């Protein structure tokens, strides 16, 4: 055997061995506790780099660790295979999206296997295959039957580059989340899922997710955006039309000095019809159409408005207040009308200052008196109500309740709960997605496709131009069909579903991926669900994660699932940086797993990814760091190989003077690695402990010379077990060299003996007036009195004291003694 580990040959050998033995295949086993381990599955858009792989390597370590700890682990992998990049590639390269997608899947799968991922490939799912999207269509029909899928005309976010609609969640800073083109507005007939029907439960059940990062729960809470307030009925002075306003600050109603309507509000045109204000209003409305929702709602955007020449009547004091339209008010949020209270709302304050509108103080704080001429910002805190008619003098929170009761008693308003969350727009005007199983009949109207007719298959006779409506609209074989109800001529829906629909339930399909009778087997799904550990990017906090929670609750209500939340624990890994920038193919700074493994081996790449930083933190790629990890693994190889050779030769001593220290180092390392992985997923500190153990074992070997005690070989076996989740190929090689005949990944995780962890002696530093003067080894259980006597009797300490008076002796048990002298 060579002194240097032949990683290329041996890693390939062990991957083939694992596949042939099928050691990662999973089945239901009631005799073991289950552990469903999952990473967010990838979109196969091209070659994977090490930035992508961090997510999956973390998940693989967790899966291997849990298996060795006696869990029945479900660890599957699949492909989020529908989506716009495939269709854009088809347009660019004149090939079918399936051809591009499935070629990328094959490449990605090779990369996963190259890095030694322990997936159960028998459970592989691909969302773009009919055996999967048949059940995505089934999910749509379930939503439709339960009144949760509906169609309506709506102003939607339109990406001119992708030529498709985007959900609100897919517009980031006014740009398409995928291609970063500027998003515009368009009015279309669209399909929606009524996720708002689950708003309260999605919010309330965040309390169940104690295993999720706090910031993810806060992001979801803010996205749902529940607010409790009142709807107040103002009215237009000129026409008497009601103008309903939702507010959570009804304690400030007497401070309203203007009204702002959304430019799209249906009352605007009525109020300006035939007036001199009409042309300017029309121009302002046209300008707003060119702005995205995100731009208009941004707190950074300058507030822009226009007086429309009309007035509203405040129901609390009958005052006439001017009506404006402004960029920051939208019809999609609330009622499309906002009351302006500039003294107590910062946005209204800025608007009033810009346009010279009145400001009236109606809440005075307890600690100071607000003065209009000195106000530089709005006051939105608690206080006493003033200038508020019969409600003046009340604490504002009490005033809120009384005003709400007054509004309801007089019919001028009512208590109301509002949400920021909007229904999920799922229609996409593209080909490469799951067809929406709906048929339109002139006689019967909207007709759902019968379940027995699923799947509605994507046709092949389509042209990919990237222009106009869905490519499906140009396929006569797809569009023209017969009505399932009356048998007459009918046409199919030509929009496809948002790919987030496919990924909202894939974790359920893994539990029984070959079931052709239903989306998942009830017994299997209720055995495995919920997912115990989910790993994936923070960027999906209010997209995939929210949608998956919604799907789970719908399926629970329909009787298909016992669980109400899909993911018990969530780990959001940090980005991998290279030269200070996020590793990406477009920036040319991606590190290829293929190149890495050819130079250093898969285990080196895995251990480096895990060692450099905690999983939730950013990681800076370093070639020098990779080389350092490679050297460490070769040190492990040489150490264990030498001990294995001694074991095979029968040259082991049953006892040595270092046995106790060796076993103490071993058991301390087992404890450290176990706790770091099991409790905190601190893989970096776990690997650091393994490095310390290796250094310690080398030191013992040097002291022992040619002698090889049994305790040292036992330590090498434990080291190999501890290394197995991190460097699975090398650990397997060493395990067999040590004489074992079954995979290390089927072995049990080592336990530690608490009694062996405690040191018999400790090294104590001795200081005189804070300066180090001596060190001494003392019994670990020495008393404080005995320690002081022992230290003061030492010659070097007596010399340092030099006959001066000892003022006091401070001890830090097991570490330090400081003698303070005059």
């Amino acid at each position: 055997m060579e002194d240097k580990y032949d990683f290329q040959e041996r890693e390939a050998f062990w991957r083939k061995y694992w596949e042939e033995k099928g050691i990662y295949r999973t089945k239901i086993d009631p005799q073991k506790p289950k552990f469903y381990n999952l990473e967010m599955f990838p979109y196969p858009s091209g070659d994977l780099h090490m930035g992508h792989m961090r997510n999956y390597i973390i998940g693989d370590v967790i899966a291997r660790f849990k298996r060795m700890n006696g869990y029945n682990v479900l660890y599957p992998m699949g492909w989020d295979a529908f989506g716009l990049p495939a269709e854009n590639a088809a347009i660019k390269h004149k090939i079918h999206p399936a051809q591009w997608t499935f070629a990328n899947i094959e490449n990605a799968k090779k990369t996963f296997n190259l890095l030694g991922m322990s997936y159960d490939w028998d459970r592989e799912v691909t969302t773009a295959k009919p055996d999967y999207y048949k059940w995505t269509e089934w999910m749509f029909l379930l939503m439709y039957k339960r009144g949760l899928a509906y169609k309506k005309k709506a102003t939607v976010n339109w990406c001119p580059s992708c030529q498709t609609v985007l959900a609100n969640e897919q517009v980031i800073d006014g740009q398409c989340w995928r291609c970063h083109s500027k998003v515009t507005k368009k009015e279309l007939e669209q399909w929606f899922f009524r996720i708002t029907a689950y708003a309260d439960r999605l919010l309330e059940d965040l309390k169940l997710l104690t295993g999720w990062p706090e910031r993810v729960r806060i992001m979801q809470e803010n996205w749902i955006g529940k607010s409790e307030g009142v709807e107040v009925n103002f009215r237009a002075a000129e026409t008497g039309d009601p103008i309903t306003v939702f507010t959570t600050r009804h304690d400030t109603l007497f401070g309203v000095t203007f009204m702002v309507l959304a430019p799209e509000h249906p009352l605007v045109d009525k109020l300006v019809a035939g007036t001199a204000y009409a042309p300017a209003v029309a121009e302002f409305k046209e300008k707003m159409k060119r702005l995205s929702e995100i731009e208009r709602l941004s707190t950074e955007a300058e507030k822009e408005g226009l007086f429309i020449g009309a007035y509203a009547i405040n129901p609390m004091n009958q005052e006439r207040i001017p009506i404006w339209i402004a960029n920051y008010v939208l019809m999609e949020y609330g009622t499309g009308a906002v009351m302006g209270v500039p003294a107590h709302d910062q946005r209204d304050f800025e608007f009033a200052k810009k346009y010279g509108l009145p400001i009236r103080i109606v809440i005075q704080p307890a600690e100071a008196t607000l003065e209009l001429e000195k106000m530089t910002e709005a006051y939105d805190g608690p206080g006493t109500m003033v200038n508020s008619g019969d409600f003046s003098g009340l604490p504002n929170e009490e005033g809120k309740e009384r005003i709400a009761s007054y509004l309801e008693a007089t019919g001028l308003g009512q208590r109301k709960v509002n949400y920021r969350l909007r229904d999920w727009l799922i229609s996409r005007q593209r080909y490469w997605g799951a067809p929406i199983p709906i048929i339109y009949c002139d006689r019967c109207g909207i007709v759902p496709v019968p379940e027995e007719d699923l799947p509605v298959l994507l046709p092949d006779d389509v042209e990919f131009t990237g222009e106009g409506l869905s490519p499906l609209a140009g396929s006569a074989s797809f569009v023209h069909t017969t009505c399932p109800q009356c048998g007459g001529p009918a046409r199919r829906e030509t929009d496809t579903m948002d790919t987030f629909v496919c990924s909202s339930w894939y974790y359920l399909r893994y539990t029984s991926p070959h079931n052709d009778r239903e989306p998942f087997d009830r017994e299997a799904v209720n055995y495995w669900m919920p997912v115990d550990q989910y790993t994936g990017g923070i960027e999906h906090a209010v997209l995939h994660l929210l949608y998956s929670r919604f799907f789970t609750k719908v399926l629970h209500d329909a009787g298909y699932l016992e669980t109400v939340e899909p993911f018990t624990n969530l780990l959001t890994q940090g980005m991998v940086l290279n030269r200070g920038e996020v590793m990406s193919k477009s920036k040319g700074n991606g590190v290829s797993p293929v190149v890495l493994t050819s130079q250093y081996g898969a285990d080196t790449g895995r251990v480096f990814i895990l060692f450099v930083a905690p999983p939730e933190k950013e990681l800076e790629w370093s070639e020098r760091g990779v080389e350092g990890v490679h050297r460490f693994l070769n040190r492990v190889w040489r150490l264990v190989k030498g001990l294995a050779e001694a074991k095979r030769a029968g040259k082991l001593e049953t006892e040595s003077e270092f046995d106790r220290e060796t076993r103490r180092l071993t058991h301390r390392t087992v404890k450290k690695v176990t706790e770091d992985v099991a409790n905190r997923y601190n893989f970096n500190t776990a690997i650091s402990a393994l490095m310390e153990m290796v250094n310690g074992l080398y030191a013992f070997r040097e002291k022992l010379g040619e002698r090889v005690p049994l305790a040292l070989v036992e330590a090498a076996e434990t080291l190999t077990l501890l290394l197995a989740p991190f460097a699975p190929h090398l650990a397997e090689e060493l395990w067999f060299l040590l004489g074992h005949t079954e995979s290390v990944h089927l072995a049990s995780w080592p336990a530690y003996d608490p009694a062996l962890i405690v040191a018999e002696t400790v090294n104590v530093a001795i200081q005189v007036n804070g300066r180090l003067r001596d060190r001494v080894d003392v019994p670990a259980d020495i008393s404080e009195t005995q320690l002081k006597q022992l230290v003061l009797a030492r010659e070097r300490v007596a010399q340092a004291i030099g006959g001066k008076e000892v003022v006091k002796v401070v001890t830090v048990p097991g570490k330090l003694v400081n003698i303070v002298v005059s």
Side-chain angles (χ1 to χ4, degrees), residues 71 85 103 122 124 151 188 203 209 324 358 368 372 396 400 414 423 449 475 488 536 554 565 679 742 746 785-786 805:
Y71 286 86
D122 284 354
E124 180 180 8
K151 192 174 189 181
L188 292 171
L203 188 62
L209 303 178
W324 288 64
L372 277 179
N396 72 302
K400 268 189 182 182
Q414 60 180 345
D423 280 341
V449 173
S475 170
V554 172
E565 285 290 338
N679 301 335
E742 191 176 53
L746 299 177
T785 301
Q786 290 172 321
E805 180 187 357

Side-chain angles (χ1 to χ4, degrees), residues 77-140:
M77 178 47 65
W79 314 99
D80 192 9
F82 274 139
L84 291 175
E87 196 159 338
N88 291 341
I91 295 165
K92 182 178 179 180
H93 301 296
K94 307 300 181 187
I95 60 173
H96 196 280
Q99 182 181 339
W100 185 83
T101 301
F102 294 125
N104 286 335
I105 286 174
E106 285 306 307
N107 287 334
K109 193 170 180 179
K110 287 176 184 176
T111 301
F112 280 137
N113 287 329
L114 195 62
L115 286 167
M117 308 303 290
S118 60
Y119 297 126
D120 180 357
W121 285 111
D122 284 354
R123 294 175 180 269
E124 180 180 8
V125 302
T126 305
T127 62
K129 289 185 176 181
D131 65 349
Y132 184 91
Y133 72 74
K134 168 183 179 177
W135 301 111
T136 302
E137 294 170 357
W138 182 93
M139 294 287 171
F140 177 94

Side-chain angles (χ1 to χ4, degrees), residues 591-603:
V591 175
S592 165
V594 177
V595 174
L596 178 75
T597 53
S598 68
Q599 292 177 336
Y600 298 104
D603 287 341

Side-chain angles (χ1 to χ4, degrees), residues 58 69 81-82 105 143 148 208 227 261 346 361 386 389 461 523 540 563 566 600 645 661 697 730 740 771 806:
I58 289 168
N69 277 275
F82 274 139
I105 286 174
M143 296 282 185
L148 298 171
L208 303 176
S227 54
L261 300 182
Q346 186 60 27
I361 296 168
V386 297
D461 59 336
E523 180 185 358
H540 294 297
T563 187
Y600 298 104
E645 289 172 347
E661 290 181 64
L697 296 180
L730 176 59
H740 299 278
R771 294 184 64 184
V806 175

Side-chain angles (χ1 to χ4, degrees), residues 13 19 29 42 66 71 160 167 177 253 299 336 392 423 426 429 433 435 443 489 541 548 593 721 804:
F13 174 86
E19 183 180 355
D29 184 354
K66 288 294 182 178
Y71 286 86
W177 75 293
L253 270 165
T299 55
S392 295
D423 280 341
I426 67 157
Q429 291 67 47
R443 182 182 300 174
S548 296
L721 289 167
K804 297 176 183 176

Side-chain angles (χ1 to χ4, degrees), residues 6 72 85 114 155 352 417 430 452 507 509 530 621 635 647 655 667 678 776 799:
D6 185 356
N72 186 29
L114 195 62
T155 302
V417 177
R430 301 305 291 257
E452 59 270 21
Y507 47 92
R509 185 66 177 171
W621 190 264
R635 289 190 77 216
K647 179 183 179 182
E655 292 184 19
H667 285 255
V776 62
Q799 291 175 355

Side-chain angles (χ1 to χ4, degrees), residues 19-61:
E19 183 180 355
E20 290 175 349
K21 295 290 185 181
I23 67 172
Y24 304 129
R25 294 193 189 113
T26 314
K27 61 182 179 180
I28 291 175
D29 184 354
Q31 303 305 312
K32 290 182 178 181
K34 72 92 180 178
F35 191 85
Y36 189 172
N37 184 59
L38 191 64
E39 302 113 24
M40 295 180 185
F41 66 167
Y43 180 79
S45 59
D47 294 337
L48 297 171
H49 55 65
M50 291 306 293
H52 298 125
M53 293 308 300
R54 188 183 192 192
N55 175 35
Y56 308 111
I57 290 169
I58 289 168
D60 189 61
V61 171

Side-chain angles (χ1 to χ4, degrees), residues 689-734:
L690 292 177
M691 291 176 171
E692 291 177 16
M693 181 180 180
V694 170
N695 289 338
L697 296 180
Y698 265 105
F700 292 142
R701 284 230 66 179
E702 189 175 333
K703 292 174 183 177
L704 288 161
E706 296 299 315
R707 297 159 54 203
V708 182
L710 178 62
L712 208 55
V713 174
E714 291 172 346
E717 296 206 343
T718 301
L719 170 64
T720 302
L721 289 167
L722 295 177
L723 190 66
F726 308 105
H729 307 86
L730 176 59
E732 193 76 283
E733 180 78 7
L734 297 176

